């Protein structure tokens, strides 16, 4: 079983596979979720991360949940941990278990090529409702978040 999201120490990301990812999304059901995919070798990711962190802080009170998915492999683990420590995110980060890259990407979203940075938006009832792939201005994120928060759950 996965630990409750808030109990995971931010400096020690849990390793998860595609199944673990879906379990996580399921755990956040009832809340709109933004998931940011990043890696230390991806320069646009490093630029985008503080902005996403700021938005996570800004929209927390409006009910937005956020978590990060780090796609660095084990060789870059130290860099990833250092980056998280330096960035001091207000959200929990998880790391993808090494291997089965394509399977993981397809499980997250079959339409996603795996290019980074990538952000996925899930409605409160757990549906993938949108995505931002590649470098986008902060305004694009704000628009997507506002839309997400305005989407009623369909239960």
């Amino acid at each position: 079983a996965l630990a409750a999201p808030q109990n995971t120490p931010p400096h020690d990301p849990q390793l998860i596979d595609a199944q673990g990812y879906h379990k996580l999304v399921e755990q956040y059901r009832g809340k709109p979720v933004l998931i940011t995919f990043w890696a230390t070798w991806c320069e646009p990711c490093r630029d985008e991360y503080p902005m996403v962190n700021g938005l996570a802080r800004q929209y927390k009170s409006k009910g937005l949940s956020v978590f990060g998915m780090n796609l660095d492999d084990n060789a870059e683990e130290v860099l990833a941990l250092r980056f998280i420590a330096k960035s001091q995110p207000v959200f929990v980060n998880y790391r993808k278990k090494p291997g089965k890259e394509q399977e993981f990407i397809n499980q997250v979203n079959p339409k996603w090529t795996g290019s980074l940075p990538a952000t996925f938006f899930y409605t409160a009832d757990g549906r993938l409702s949108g995505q931002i792939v590649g470098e986008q201005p902060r305004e694009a994120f704000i628009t997507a978040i506002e839309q997400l928060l305005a989407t009623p759950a369909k239960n």
Side-chain angles (χ1 to χ4, degrees):
L2 286 170
Q6 61 273 19
N7 300 345
T8 312
H11 59 270
D12 190 18
Q14 250 181 305
L15 280 174
I16 58 171
D17 56 11
Q19 231 181 333
Y21 176 80
H22 287 298
K23 274 194 195 135
L24 263 180
V25 170
E26 195 53 44
Q27 275 185 4
Y28 282 90
R29 194 181 273 262
K31 294 181 183 136
V33 186
L34 177 163
I35 304 166
T36 180
F37 285 76
W38 63 279
T40 56
W41 45 259
C42 158
E43 201 172 322
C45 299
R46 296 198 307 266
D47 295 341
E48 186 181 279
Y49 196 90
M51 184 259 293
V52 170
N53 197 26
L55 292 171
R57 203 176 276 125
Q58 184 183 334
Y59 284 96
K60 199 176 186 163
S61 62
K62 297 191 173 129
L64 182 70
S65 290
V66 176
F67 70 87
M69 269 306 309
N70 172 249
L71 301 187
D72 280 308
D73 62 30
N74 282 350
E76 279 115 23
E77 182 184 10
V78 173
L79 291 175
L81 297 181
R82 223 177 268 157
F83 181 82
I84 292 170
K86 202 180 78 187
S87 306
Q88 301 192 311
V90 295
F91 52 87
V92 179
N93 281 271
Y94 297 88
R95 282 187 56 234
K96 185 198 153 303
K97 272 187 187 154
K100 298 191 178 164
E101 315 301 325
Q102 203 51 54
E103 186 187 308
F104 184 84
I105 287 161
N106 292 342
Q107 286 274 330
V108 172
N109 181 356
K111 295 191 186 91
W112 179 37
T113 61
S115 60
L116 294 175
T119 303
F120 295 100
F121 300 90
Y122 289 85
T123 56
D125 51 10
R127 286 174 302 120
L128 179 63
S129 67
Q131 62 181 54
I132 293 177
V133 179
E135 272 182 283
Q136 294 289 329
R138 191 168 183 271
E139 288 66 49
F141 283 83
I142 290 171
T143 304
I145 291 168
E146 298 280 357
Q147 269 176 343
L148 180 66
L149 293 176
T151 306
K154 282 199 169 94
N155 342 0

